[in-house]
Amino acid sequence: EQDALAPEQPVANLNAEGTVITGTAEANAKISVYDSANKLLGSATADGNGQYTITLSTALTESKTGSVSATDAAGNQSTITTVTGTKDITAPSSPKISDVTDDVGTSTGPVVPNGTTDDKRPVISGTVSRDEVGATLIVYDNNQAIGNVKVGTDGKWSFSFDHDLSLGSHSITIVLIDKAGNTSLVSD
């Protein structure tokens, strides 16, 4: 008598990196994972208890989906289980310094780009998109990293120098590193 019964839909869990799927399916079934372009990303055979692990040839990241199915020895295929990648691999937009504020001496207020200041420790600040809350900004003075600051819950950030700037020209730039470790291009 031929087995015409499809295996149950497999249980599939994708790791945070988007590189390994583990789960359970019909014992000894062949488990296959395809991407949205129908490219095989990996396969394995479930063990006698139905457990399986598949290391994917291409990671499923940032909302990329994979279709996981089980096929039994008679060639019957299960309903597909979809897994969706969550790992953020997109670099954040280049941050901008909105304000440089001089709050000491005879002339106070905003310092314009390429302007001058008598404040040896001006405050620089800006805002990044709300989806970068908790990211870290690295501050550079003439291409040397001099400090960092966390982005607040409102997307705003502010950096105060912990040392006096020397007399002369300073090119102050910033780089944003998101919570997933992706790094932006350098600001203007």
Side-chain angles (χ1 to χ4, degrees):
E1 175 178 345
Q2 178 154 356
D3 172 7
L5 197 62
E8 278 188 31
Q9 184 175 10
V11 172
N13 299 298
L14 181 63
N15 69 343
E17 292 294 305
T19 54
V20 177
I21 294 176
T22 54
T24 54
E26 182 177 297
N28 307 311
K30 182 176 184 202
I31 313 302
S32 302
V33 182
Y34 289 89
D35 69 10
S36 58
N38 217 23
K39 174 180 169 239
L40 181 66
L41 299 182
S43 61
T45 301
D47 68 17
N49 296 320
Q51 305 283 328
Y52 71 90
T53 299
I54 300 172
T55 299
L56 304 178
S57 58
T58 305
L60 292 170
T61 56
E62 283 188 324
S63 304
K64 289 196 174 84
T65 58
S67 301
V68 183
S69 62
T71 307
D72 65 19
N76 302 306
Q77 187 177 340
S78 71
T79 302
I80 286 171
T81 298
T82 301
V83 292
T84 304
T86 57
K87 184 179 180 190
D88 176 1
I89 58 166
T90 301
S93 300
S94 179
K96 298 198 176 356
I97 297 172
S98 321
D99 298 295
V100 178
T101 307
D102 175 335
D103 58 3
V104 301
T106 51
S107 154
T108 61
V111 179
V112 298
N114 301 315
T116 59
T117 178
D118 59 356
D119 188 342
K120 292 182 178 157
R121 295 185 182 198
V123 175
I124 65 169
S125 58
T127 308
V128 296
S129 72
R130 284 185 181 274
D131 55 359
E132 299 302 351
V133 165
T136 302
L137 279 161
I138 309 293
V139 180
Y140 294 86
D141 178 6
N142 297 329
N143 298 322
Q144 293 293 313
I146 55 166
N148 63 64
V149 62
K150 280 255 188 267
V151 174
T153 53
D154 54 1
K156 292 184 179 352
W157 60 272
S158 179
F159 179 80
S160 301
F161 290 88
D162 62 1
H163 64 280
D164 288 352
L165 293 176
S166 60
L167 197 61
S169 181
H170 292 269
S171 173
I172 307 297
T173 53
I174 52 176
V175 164
L176 186 63
I177 301 173
D178 71 16
K179 289 186 293 199
N182 303 306
T183 303
S184 75
L185 294 172
V186 179
S187 70
D188 294 341

